[in-house]
């Protein structure tokens, strides 16, 4: 593996409420110099929750996604708040977005989104032993809960309204973890 | 499913060479009004390639990812150039980044990245019947090619340097497609 490029300079090049863009002037180990732009990382990370009920339905939500200007099916997810760890954030998001708490939570994997130009990543958490519990979130409208049998995962990935790469990865990772749980 | 929110106004709020941030003022069907920020979509989309050789090794690359400031294992990928369709872009990226062309290509799925704040998506292409062919890309340094047996996918996803959600989804999608090819 080559030596990491040397960061010659970091420059803030654009900023909005949500996004902070920085330019990295880099010198690669072969001497090549390039300027890369990336979204600067703020905050404490994010979580995505694969919550399974006793019938092995995964709790999907249907929500408005501004990036696509459309409603999509996805997994409950959100940012980690100050003072929370990943499991606490996952349990809070699950209560806000789905209306369940979980007594059992397992960290499956930290997924990156688009590592060439974003440092953002999301912890995928498996949640089981659910119980009804509703917390108020900051959603502009109530989210529709869509329980989906994990055994019908292949049918789900054929749907155009279920397209988020991280959510597809999360469901396959959960299924693989469950298959190996009792090995 | 609720009616899509009405877009009251779109405002450009930040811009750099690579990123264009816009604010959407939205009115939801229940009357709630919110301002969302998203990365505006430019260009013609992107492709990610699952290229399998005759021994059923998937062609991974090791490349520097500026978002993480580290080397990662991932799939060959890149933007669709003017005049190209997805399959043509996939075949070009494969030749630039791995040194193979493909005689057989199949579109598996269009994956979104972070649909709440980005419209970006990537076409996942399965490539087979490979032959040696090298095109010059714009990489600052040669990429390391890492052939990995598809049968050892579970070992790959345990690695911290293989974390890209879309790439994990792409490999599971490819394996599922191959399992069902002769059904």
């Amino acid at each position: 593996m080559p030596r990491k490029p040397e960061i010659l300079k970091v420059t803030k090049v654009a900023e909005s409420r949500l996004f902070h863009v920085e330019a990295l002037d880099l010198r690669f180990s072969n001497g090549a110099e390039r300027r890369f732009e990336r979204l600067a990382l703020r905050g404490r990370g994010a979580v995505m929750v694969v919550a399974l009920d006793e019938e092995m339905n995964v709790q999907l939500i249907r929500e408005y996604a501004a990036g696509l200007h459309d409603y999509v099916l996805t997994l409950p997810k959100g940012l980690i708040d100050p003072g929370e760890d990943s499991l606490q954030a996952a349990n809070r998001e699950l209560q806000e977005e789905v209306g369940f708490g979980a007594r059992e939570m397992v960290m499956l994997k930290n997924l990156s989104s688009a590592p060439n130009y974003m440092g953002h990543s999301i912890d995928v958490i498996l949640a089981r032993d659910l119980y009804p519990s509703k917390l108020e979130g900051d959603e502009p409208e109530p989210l529709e809960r869509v329980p989906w049998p994990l055994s019908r995962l292949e049918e789900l990935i054929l749907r155009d309204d279920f397209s988020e790469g991280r959510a597809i990865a999360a469901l396959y990772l959960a299924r693989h973890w469950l298959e190996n749980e009792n090995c």
Side-chain angles (χ1 to χ4, degrees), chain A:
Chain A
M1 194 182 317
R3 211 170 58 242
K4 275 191 204 186
E6 182 187 354
I7 298 178
L8 302 174
K9 197 168 64 166
V10 180
T11 315
K12 187 194 290 183
V13 291
E15 186 166 30
S16 73
R17 186 172 56 83
L18 200 61
F19 297 100
H20 305 266
V21 183
E22 59 190 22
L24 262 65
D25 288 299
L26 297 169
R27 183 185 296 132
F28 285 77
S29 62
N30 63 0
E33 295 192 3
R34 292 289 173 93
R35 170 170 274 213
F36 282 38
E37 284 190 4
R38 68 178 185 187
L39 294 182
L41 202 54
R42 299 287 174 97
R44 286 154 295 274
V47 292
M48 173 173 268
V49 192
V50 181
L52 289 168
D53 63 23
E54 294 190 355
E55 289 76 38
M56 293 295 280
N57 296 307
V58 59
Q59 309 301 306
L60 302 179
I61 53 171
R62 195 190 310 276
E63 72 173 350
Y64 173 73
L68 304 176
H69 184 50
D70 209 348
Y71 284 88
V72 298
L73 279 179
T74 188
L75 292 169
K77 57 182 187 287
L79 298 175
I80 300 174
D81 281 345
E84 285 182 333
D85 64 22
S86 285
L87 299 185
Q88 290 165 335
N91 213 350
R92 176 183 50 71
E93 289 289 345
L94 189 58
Q95 292 173 76
E96 289 177 1
E97 299 195 348
V98 183
F100 287 123
R103 295 191 189 87
E104 185 195 348
M105 310 196 90
V106 182
M107 162 76 178
L108 295 182
K109 189 168 172 73
N110 179 263
L111 296 181
S112 57
S113 295
N116 292 80
Y117 58 88
M118 296 164 62
H120 303 59
S121 68
I122 201 162
D123 286 335
V124 177
I125 312 286
L126 179 70
R128 292 190 296 188
D129 199 353
L130 308 181
Y131 56 92
S133 175
K134 181 68 188 162
L135 291 174
E136 278 309 307
D138 58 355
E139 282 73 27
E141 61 185 1
L143 300 180
E144 183 189 351
R145 180 173 74 90
V146 182
W148 190 281
L150 190 58
S151 60
R152 284 169 48 207
L153 172 55
E154 275 70 25
E155 193 179 327
L156 181 60
I157 61 175
L158 291 176
R159 293 176 61 112
D160 284 340
D161 61 353
F162 185 76
S163 69
E164 188 171 349
R166 301 177 303 182
I168 293 173
L171 290 183
Y172 275 112
L173 290 169
R175 194 166 73 171
H176 173 66
W177 190 90
L178 292 164
E179 285 167 357
N180 288 272
E181 183 180 19
N182 300 314
C183 290

